[in-house]
Amino acid sequence: MSTDLTLHQRRRQPSTDELNSIPWLALLRPDERARAAASLQVGDAQAGDYVCRVGKPVTYWFGVVEGLLKMSADNAQGLTMTFAGLPPGGWFGEGTALKREPYRYNIQALRKSVVAGLPIESFHWLLDHSIGFNRFVMNQLNERLGQFISAREIDRMNNPDQRVARSLAALFNPVLYPGVGEVLRITQQEMAYLVGLSRQRVNESLRTLEAQGIIRVEYGGLRVLDLKALRCGSF
C-alpha cells in the first residue's frame, strides 16, 4: 500500500477484537451497538501522522485502539503546548463533535497506532437515542475538564520530577483511558515529547520515582505502584 495515502484513505472496517476494545460499545443496547459498529472505521497511523489538525472541520469522534497519540496546540509565540497524551482506550474530541466546530488542537501519532473513528452523524444519532452513550460522554467531559486544568498546572511547574509524575499520572486515568491497566507501554522519548523535557531529564525523573517506590520501570513500559503519590507529586 502506498505510504502517500492519507490516514483517512487507509481507513478500514474494524476487526472483532478491535470492536471489543472500544469501551462505550458495551454500554449500548443491541440495536444501538449494531448501528454504531456498522459505521465505525479504523485507520493504521504511522508515527508522525496527524489524526486531526487545527482549523479542520470535525468529521469523526476518535479513539485510540492501539498505540499513543499526542494532543497539542501552538500558542501565539509559536511554542507548542501539550494538553494530553492519549493511550489505548482513550476517546477524545467529544466537545468539538458536540458543537460541530473546527478543531482547536492537533492530534498526532507518536508511534504506529490504530485509531478508530465514529462518523459525526452517528455520534449525534447516539446522543439522541442512547442513555448509555450520553452517560459515557458526560463522564468524558467531566474528566476532560479536570485533565485540562491539570495540564495547565503541569505546564507551569518548574520541578521536572513533578512534571513527569503528574504527566504520567494523567495517562493512568481509568475513566479516560480504560485500556491502559497497570502497565503503560511507553518509551522515555515518548514521555519526553509529552512532558516537554529532554529524554535524559525524563530518565532522571523516572529513576527518582522508581527509587521512592512510586513506579517500576519494566521492559517496554512503566508500572505504577502508588498512583496517589504520583498524582500528588509531593516528594
Side-chain angles (χ1 to χ4, degrees):
M1 182 176 292
S2 172
T3 57
D4 293 333
L5 294 177
T6 66
L7 180 59
H8 184 258
Q9 290 170 327
R10 299 198 301 268
R11 69 191 187 280
R12 57 178 173 79
Q13 294 295 315
S15 67
T16 300
D17 287 343
E18 288 167 340
L19 286 173
N20 289 339
S21 73
I22 296 175
W24 50 267
L25 278 178
L27 305 177
L28 307 183
R29 298 195 309 264
D31 60 316
E32 297 166 349
R33 178 186 169 95
R35 181 171 181 139
S39 66
L40 278 162
Q41 300 281 311
V42 295
D44 300 297
Q46 302 299 316
D49 280 352
Y50 281 92
V51 177
C52 55
R53 304 192 73 156
V54 171
K56 295 294 185 180
V58 59
T59 52
Y60 289 90
W61 180 48
F62 290 109
V64 185
V65 178
E66 295 178 12
L68 183 66
L69 310 182
K70 178 179 76 168
M71 177 185 289
S72 65
D74 297 332
N75 62 21
Q77 289 73 42
L79 300 175
T80 298
M81 177 181 179
T82 298
F83 298 125
L86 301 164
W91 283 75
F92 55 90
E94 51 279 343
T96 303
L98 276 167
K99 293 180 284 186
R100 297 178 184 262
E101 65 179 14
Y103 289 107
R104 298 182 181 181
Y105 46 80
N106 297 315
I107 302 290
Q108 188 176 24
L110 292 181
R111 71 168 84 125
K112 186 176 180 180
S113 304
V114 178
V115 182
L118 179 71
I120 190 68
E121 296 304 328
S122 296
F123 175 85
H124 279 272
W125 185 91
L126 286 171
L127 285 177
D128 291 339
H129 295 85
S130 174
I131 293 176
F133 188 75
N134 272 272
R135 287 174 176 165
F136 182 88
V137 171
M138 286 176 61
N139 285 335
Q140 286 278 114
L141 290 168
N142 184 53
E143 289 291 327
R144 190 81 66 201
L145 176 60
Q147 181 188 51
F148 285 161
I149 291 173
S150 179
R152 292 290 295 176
E153 293 173 346
I154 293 170
D155 196 53
R156 296 173 181 175
M157 287 180 175
N158 294 321
N159 185 312
D161 294 344
Q162 290 182 342
R163 284 178 65 107
V164 171
R166 292 284 295 276
S167 297
L168 186 57
L171 296 171
F172 280 88
N173 184 313
V175 176
L176 291 175
Y177 313 125
V180 172
E182 296 181 352
V183 179
L184 175 66
R185 300 301 173 188
I186 191 169
T187 67
Q188 292 178 7
Q189 186 59 65
E190 289 168 342
M191 275 297 300
Y193 288 141
L194 295 178
V195 182
L197 298 171
S198 69
R199 186 187 63 79
Q200 292 79 5
R201 190 60 191 83
V202 167
N203 178 267
E204 292 177 22
S205 295
L206 292 177
R207 290 184 181 277
T208 297
L209 296 173
E210 187 173 33
Q212 297 187 22
I214 297 174
I215 67 168
R216 184 166 67 236
V217 179
E218 300 184 355
Y219 179 76
L222 301 168
R223 181 182 296 273
V224 171
L225 305 177
D226 189 341
L227 185 56
K228 183 177 179 180
L230 200 64
R231 286 173 172 163
C232 293
S234 54
F235 38 79

